[in-house]
């Protein structure tokens, strides 16, 4: 048995292939291949085709827009229902306290956090493509919403003057300032939802790729610092204004510490106790994850205990602890958001729309990859857009996927969004039936819940060490995203981070890695000569590779690197040649002048010996000039290089623009002047088509210079050189 395995291993090690074929350049290859005939469609035909409707196409579009129609009829009740019920209850138990807590971040009364935990979650069941993510309130988005609400309605402003049909409701339940902030938050949800919906319908799901992982992680880490800072005043029970915009973190910290002496000891004790209980609960859930049937719902336990203690000890009256306060029973009638606010919050809505989508689609992709299904990024945009825009009419603020709740929904056995629907129904029961029971809940308990949920985000500081080892550029993106978002605010910080990430892309294309390739002996494989000892350069041939496309931004650096790496600079060679020619002309001129002097000397001399000597020198061109004979001056050798061929490896090249094509043509022309033949190898079909459209090929630059592979180009150059050498020897 062992002998057989060794024999098979030897066979695998010695497996070879042998292919005998002609040397192909693109001219020969295109001549032997027949292109498929394609009839180009006019714009009218394309529009007519896209507008054509059939029952199959209509059904496909309907299933794409409402994914629930596809999976619900096939729902395996016996296999999935129990897991979805357990998961839905577990997630709903988390939705309730987080909805109340994140409403504080959004600068709106807590009940609006419950609305945001019901309507969008229920809607996502019908329109979402992910089976496991939990839509609802999320710390980062809530913080961004709160920043806009506070900016538009500062603490000092009592009446803003918005026209509204709900002022009676406001005066009955909330202060005028809180109601105005609610109007800002719901209008922001409407606008961000419309933006997401439009991007989804226009198939712009790819915008999330511009929010790279280092950028998102740096941004969310800064957001965690913002969130933590904003909750300090609730934890300590101090009264401070809420700040937004650049340096809001600094202002908040200064405000809190300036009033540290007014700390409410009762609120601090309650808050710290809740933090300890929550951390213990999370640690138990983490350590005994496999043994526990469902995670211990410490958040709802803490809320219940906090509410009971507050009501029993009358913390508000006895110790001045701030509580949640009034929670109206039942659902509110739909109302149109304040449209006149849109111009003032448009930029913020774009940031919230993109960040929200990025969070949701990244988590959705993780679960889809883990469980073996696919998600549609464009449909996710549409689903989030509907959740936010429709939810805004029912007074919910912007939502996205929550990482902590999504992990609970998946780990507790959730198989479909039935679990999400059940969790939203649990929140609905609280809103319509028992919401009033949570009115004595201390705000410091909600602050504790928010702070503990930031634990995972604060762990992202470990990314600094990771990116330091793996990629300095990604580390720079992380640091810029963090610092900019921390000090400039989340909106301007995100814009700065995206701009910097785009600059790094330009930087990478302008500073690619350049290599000279050599051949692994007796193979058709070519590798970097500086990296491997066995790799040898082909005599007289330089193979140049740049791991970037050739376009206006890097064409100059491409040419410079080519000359530096190959050691062949046509301009320098031609300059040396011209200099040598001028020097040679001067030497010849001097020689001619000496000849004239010798003739005059011959005429004027009376000595026969001198006459014979001079005659002999004139006759044989042997008059010395600067120590050289005339024969040596006439034997002028031009400066030459020992390189006869240059091959440009276009394997990494994805596109070439007009500037790149002109640069390429200029390279071929310059090297031809110094007798170096330039070939292009491994040029892809799309790049070939681009070169053709750019009129790259003409009488001097033909497709014969383009080869299917590096090895084809090397063999062709060797054949060409041998032919040229044979011709020269025959002459």
């Amino acid at each position: 048995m062992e002998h057989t395995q060794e024999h098979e291993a030897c066979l695998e090690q010695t497996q070879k292939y042998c292919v005998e074929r002609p040397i192909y350049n693109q001219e020969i290859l295109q001549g032997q291949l027949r292109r498929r005939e394609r009839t180009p469609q006019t714009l009218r035909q394309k529009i007519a085709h896209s507008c054509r409707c059939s029952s199959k196409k209509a059904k496909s579009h309907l299933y794409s827009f409402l994914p629930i129609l596809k999976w619900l009829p096939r729902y395996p009740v016996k296999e999935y229902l129990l897991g979805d019920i357990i998961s839905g209850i577990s997630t709903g138990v988390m939705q309730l306290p987080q909805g109340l807590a994140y409403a504080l971040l959004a600068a709106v009364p807590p009940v609006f956090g419950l609305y945001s935990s019901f309507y969008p979650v229920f809607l996502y069941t019908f329109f979402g493509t992910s089976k496991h993510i939990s839509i609802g309130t999320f710390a980062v988005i809530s913080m961004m919403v709160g920043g806009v609400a506070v900016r538009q309605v500062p603490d000092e402003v009592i009446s803003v003057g918005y026209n509204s049909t709900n002022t009676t409701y406001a005066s009955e339940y909330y202060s005028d300032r809180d109601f105005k902030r609610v109007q800002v938050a719901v209008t922001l949800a409407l606008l961000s939802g419309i933006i997401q919906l439009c991007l989804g319908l226009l198939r712009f799901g790819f915008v999330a790729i511009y929010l790279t992982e280092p950028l998102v992680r740096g941004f969310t880490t800064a957001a965690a610092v913002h969130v933590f800072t904003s909750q300090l005043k609730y934890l300590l029970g101090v009264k401070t204004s809420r700040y937004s915009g650049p340096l809001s973190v600094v202002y908040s910290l200064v405000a809190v510490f300036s009033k540290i002496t007014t700390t409410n000891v009762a609120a601090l004790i309650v808050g710290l106790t809740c933090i300890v209980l929550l951390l213990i609960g999370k640690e138990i859930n983490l350590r005994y994850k496999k043994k526990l049937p469902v995670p211990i719902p410490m958040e709802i336990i803490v809320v219940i205990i906090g509410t009971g203690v507050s009501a029993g000890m009358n913390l508000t009256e006895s110790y001045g602890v701030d509580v949640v306060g009034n929670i109206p029973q039942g659902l509110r009638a739909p109302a149109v958001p304040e449209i006149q606010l849109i111009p003032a919050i448009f930029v913020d809505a774009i940031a919230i729309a993109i960040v929200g989508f990025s969070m949701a689609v990244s988590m959705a992709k993780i679960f889809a990859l883990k469980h073996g299904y696919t998600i549609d990024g464009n449909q996710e945009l549409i689903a989030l857009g509907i959740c936010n825009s429709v939810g805004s009419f029912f007074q919910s603020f912007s939502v996205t996927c929550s990482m902590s709740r999504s992990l609970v929904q998946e780990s507790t056995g959730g198989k479909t969004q039935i679990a999400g629907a059940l969790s939203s129904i649990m929140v609905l029961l609280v809103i319509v039936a028992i919401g009033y029971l949570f009115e004595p809940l201390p705000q410091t308990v909600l602050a504790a819940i928010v702070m503990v949920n930031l634990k995972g985000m604060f762990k992202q500081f470990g990314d600094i060490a990771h990116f330091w080892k793996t990629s300095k550029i990604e580390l720079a993106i992380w640091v810029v995203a963090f610092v900019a978002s921390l000090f400039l605010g989340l909106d301007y910080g995100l814009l700065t981070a995206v701009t910097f990430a785009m600059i790094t892309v330009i930087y990478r294309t302008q500073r690619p890695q350049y290599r000279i390739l050599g051949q692994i002996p007796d193979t058709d494989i070519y590798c970097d000569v500086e990296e491997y000892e066995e790799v040898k350069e082909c005599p007289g041939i330089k193979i140049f590779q740049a791991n970037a496309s050739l376009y206006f931004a890097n064409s100059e650096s491409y040419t410079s690197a080519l000359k530096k790496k190959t050691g062949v600079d046509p301009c320098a060679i031609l300059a040396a040649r011209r200099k040598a020619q001028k020097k040679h002309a001067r030497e010849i001129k001097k020689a001619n002048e000496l000849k004239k002097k010798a003739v005059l000397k011959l005429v004027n001399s009376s000595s026969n010996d001198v006459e014979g000597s001079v005659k002999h020198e004139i006759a044989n061109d042997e008059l010395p000039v600067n120590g050289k004979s005339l024969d040596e001056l006439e034997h002028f050798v031009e400066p030459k290089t020992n390189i006869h061929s240059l091959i440009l490896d276009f394997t990494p090249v994805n596109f070439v623009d007009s500037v790149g094509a002109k640069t390429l043509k200029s390279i071929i022309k310059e090297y031809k002047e110094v007798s170096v033949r330039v070939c292009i190898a491994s040029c892809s079909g799309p790049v070939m088509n681009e070169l053709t459209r750019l009129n790259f090929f003409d009488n001097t630059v033909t497709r014969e210079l383009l080869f299917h592979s590096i090895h084809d180009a090397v063999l062709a150059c060797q054949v060409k050189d041998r032919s040229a050498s044979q011709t020269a020897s025959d002459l």
Side-chain angles (χ1 to χ4, degrees):
M1 184 68 180
E2 292 180 1
H3 177 72
T4 306
Q5 290 178 346
E6 289 177 4
H7 180 66
E8 289 177 356
C10 290
L11 283 176
E12 289 179 1
Q13 290 176 359
T14 57
Q15 283 180 350
K16 297 180 180 180
Y17 74 91
C18 182
V19 177
E20 187 174 337
R21 63 170 177 81
I23 299 172
Y24 281 122
N25 59 35
Q26 286 296 331
E27 193 75 32
I28 298 172
L29 201 60
Q30 295 296 326
Q32 293 186 2
L33 298 175
R34 288 184 298 176
R35 288 187 175 274
R36 295 182 185 274
E37 294 184 4
R38 296 179 181 176
T39 306
Q41 288 185 324
T42 62
L43 180 61
R44 183 178 178 182
Q45 289 174 327
K46 290 179 180 178
I47 295 173
H49 178 73
S50 62
C51 295
R52 191 179 298 129
C53 186
S54 63
S55 59
K56 186 177 180 181
K57 192 173 182 180
K59 188 177 179 181
S60 174
H61 282 302
L62 182 62
Y63 281 173
S64 176
F65 185 69
L66 281 168
I68 192 173
L69 297 177
K70 193 171 184 179
W71 60 263
L72 188 60
R74 304 174 186 174
Y75 183 79
V77 177
K78 291 182 180 180
E79 297 177 24
Y80 285 3
L81 186 59
L82 181 60
D84 280 341
I85 291 174
I86 295 172
S87 176
I89 294 172
S90 302
T91 310
V93 164
M94 287 186 70
Q95 283 272 23
L96 175 61
Q98 288 189 4
L100 293 169
Y102 292 152
L104 294 180
L105 289 177
V108 297
V111 70
F112 292 95
L114 297 181
Y115 297 151
S116 303
S117 300
F118 168 61
Y119 292 106
V121 179
F122 190 73
L123 287 169
Y124 185 81
T125 304
F126 296 90
F127 298 99
T129 59
S130 175
K131 299 177 183 179
H132 296 94
I133 65 172
S134 174
I135 295 296
T137 55
F138 182 56
V140 174
I141 298 297
S142 299
M143 188 70 201
M144 295 177 75
V145 171
V148 179
V150 172
R151 187 188 70 213
Q152 295 297 316
V153 188
D155 287 340
E156 297 79 13
V157 176
I158 302 301
S159 178
V160 184
Y162 299 150
N163 295 321
S164 177
T165 58
N166 296 307
T167 52
T168 305
Y169 188 92
S171 60
E172 183 179 351
Y173 292 107
Y174 312 112
S175 68
D176 190 52
R177 184 200 64 189
D178 286 345
F179 183 73
K180 304 308 180 189
R181 286 181 176 176
V182 169
Q183 291 301 311
V184 173
V186 298
T187 306
L188 194 59
L190 172 65
L191 189 53
S192 62
I194 291 173
I195 292 169
Q196 289 171 332
L197 192 58
C198 292
L199 289 176
L201 292 173
L202 294 173
R203 322 307 288 174
F204 269 60
F206 65 87
V207 295
I209 64 175
Y210 293 104
L211 297 181
T212 65
E213 184 183 2
L215 187 152
V216 171
R217 293 176 74 86
F219 173 79
T220 52
T221 306
V225 177
H226 276 277
V227 172
F228 187 87
T229 305
S230 71
Q231 296 305 294
L232 282 175
K233 69 175 185 178
Y234 298 110
L235 180 68
L236 299 173
V238 298
K239 308 289 185 183
T240 64
S241 298
R242 180 162 173 170
Y243 300 92
S244 64
L247 299 178
S248 59
V249 169
V250 177
Y251 296 143
S252 297
L253 287 174
V254 170
V256 169
F257 287 115
S258 65
K259 295 190 176 181
I260 196 74
T261 54
T262 64
T263 299
N264 188 311
V265 178
L268 180 60
I269 291 172
V270 171
L272 292 176
T273 303
C274 292
I275 288 175
V276 171
L277 290 174
L278 288 167
L279 289 174
I280 291 172
K282 284 187 176 292
E283 189 65 26
I284 292 173
N285 287 335
L286 185 63
R287 288 195 177 187
Y288 302 100
K289 181 169 59 176
K290 295 181 179 179
K291 295 181 180 180
L292 292 172
V294 293
I296 300 172
M298 282 305 300
E299 291 178 344
I300 193 67
I301 292 172
V302 163
V303 166
I304 293 171
I305 294 173
T307 304
V309 170
S310 176
M313 298 181 65
N314 198 10
L315 293 181
T316 307
E317 299 292 336
S318 303
Y319 301 98
V321 176
D322 291 330
V323 296
V324 167
N326 185 48
I327 298 180
Q329 229 174 328
L331 298 173
R332 292 186 59 184
V336 178
E338 302 292 340
I339 306 300
Q340 68 268 23
L341 290 171
I342 288 178
I345 61 175
F346 184 76
V347 176
D348 303 285
I350 294 175
I352 289 172
I354 295 176
V355 172
F357 168 65
S358 177
M359 297 286 183
V361 80
S362 60
M363 284 298 294
K365 285 180 178 179
I366 290 171
F367 288 125
L369 185 64
K370 182 178 179 180
H371 293 277
Y373 63 93
T374 58
I375 63 155
D376 184 350
N378 293 307
Q379 181 58 30
E380 285 298 301
L381 264 174
I382 292 172
L384 278 174
I386 291 173
C387 290
N388 283 318
S389 57
V390 175
S392 68
F393 289 92
F394 298 92
Q395 290 74 51
S396 68
F397 53 84
S398 298
V399 298
T400 186
C401 161
S402 166
M403 289 183 281
S404 59
R405 290 197 308 272
S406 297
L407 291 171
V408 169
Q409 183 168 317
E410 186 261 348
S411 63
T412 52
K415 302 293 184 182
T416 66
Q417 282 300 329
I418 293 292
L422 289 174
S423 70
S424 68
I425 291 171
M426 287 189 64
V427 175
L428 175 64
L429 292 175
V430 173
I431 294 172
V432 300
I434 60 172
Y436 68 93
L437 295 176
F438 295 100
E439 290 181 357
L441 177 63
Q443 290 185 359
T444 185
V445 174
L446 298 179
I449 293 171
V450 172
M451 288 178 167
V452 172
N453 279 320
L454 298 175
K455 180 183 175 183
M457 292 188 192
F458 282 129
K459 285 183 178 179
Q460 293 176 163
F461 278 111
D463 293 345
I464 297 175
H466 170 71
F467 288 128
W468 177 265
K469 296 177 183 177
T470 57
S471 173
K472 299 296 190 297
I473 291 180
E474 290 190 333
L475 173 63
I477 293 173
W478 193 100
V479 171
V480 168
F482 174 78
V483 173
S485 301
L486 185 63
F487 293 108
L488 299 180
L490 296 180
D491 44 5
Y492 292 114
L494 179 64
L495 180 62
T496 304
V498 171
T499 304
F500 181 78
M502 297 298 292
I503 291 172
T504 62
V505 174
I506 298 171
Y507 171 79
R508 290 186 185 190
T509 58
Q510 286 188 306
R511 294 179 62 87
Q513 293 181 341
Y514 300 105
R515 301 181 182 90
I516 293 296
L517 305 184
Q519 184 183 24
I520 298 177
D522 302 322
T523 70
D524 60 350
I525 301 171
Y526 294 82
C527 302
D528 188 353
V529 294
E530 295 179 0
E531 191 169 350
Y532 302 103
E533 295 179 356
E534 295 84 358
V535 175
K536 304 297 179 185
E537 289 190 62
C538 302
I541 301 174
K542 289 284 185 181
I543 306 169
F544 178 77
Q545 182 194 74
N547 64 336
S549 296
L550 184 58
Y551 68 114
F552 70 93
N554 67 352
S555 57
E556 188 174 340
S557 61
Y558 184 93
T559 306
S560 301
L562 175 65
K563 294 174 181 178
K564 184 178 179 181
K565 281 284 185 180
T566 58
V568 181
D569 186 348
C571 297
I573 293 174
L574 291 173
R577 180 183 295 177
R578 285 191 291 269
K579 185 177 179 181
Q581 286 173 341
K582 289 179 181 179
K583 183 179 179 181
H584 179 60
R586 288 195 299 269
E587 297 287 351
I588 294 294
K589 186 177 180 181
K590 288 181 181 180
N592 290 333
E593 289 175 355
L594 285 175
K595 282 185 180 182
K596 289 179 182 179
K597 289 180 181 179
V599 171
L600 292 173
K601 185 179 179 181
L602 177 63
V603 172
N604 297 327
S605 175
S606 59
S607 169
N608 291 331
D609 292 337
V610 173
E611 180 183 347
S613 175
V614 173
K615 281 181 179 180
H616 179 73
E617 288 178 353
I618 294 172
N620 293 285
D621 279 344
E622 291 176 352
L623 286 173
V625 181
N626 293 337
K628 295 181 181 178
S629 68
L630 289 176
D631 282 343
E632 289 174 328
L633 292 175
E634 291 293 342
H635 186 65
F636 172 67
V637 181
E638 294 179 345
K640 291 184 178 179
T641 174
N642 59 349
I643 304 299
H644 58 76
S645 299
L646 174 61
I647 299 171
L648 306 179
D649 179 19
F650 262 40
T651 305
V653 176
N654 295 319
F655 69 92
V656 176
D657 68 354
S658 59
V659 177
K662 289 178 182 177
T663 301
L664 199 56
K665 212 165 186 176
S666 174
I667 289 170
I668 294 172
K669 182 181 177 182
E670 286 181 6
Y671 278 88
K672 188 177 181 181
E673 291 180 2
V674 293
S675 303
V676 176
R677 183 171 183 253
V678 178
C679 301
I680 301 172
S682 303
C683 186
S684 66
V687 175
M688 276 282 297
N689 295 335
E690 286 177 359
L691 291 174
T692 304
R693 283 196 298 270
L694 294 168
N695 298 319
F696 175 74
F697 301 106
D698 54 24
N699 296 330
T700 57
V701 181
T702 65
R703 284 182 170 81
E704 291 181 354
L705 297 179
L706 275 71
F707 291 87
H708 180 68
S709 68
I710 297 177
H711 199 55
D712 283 300
V714 169
L715 295 176
C717 291
Q718 289 174 341
V719 170
K720 195 86 173 177
D721 182 56
R722 283 197 296 267
S723 176
S725 300
Q726 184 66 37
T727 304
S729 62
D730 291 343
L731 293 174

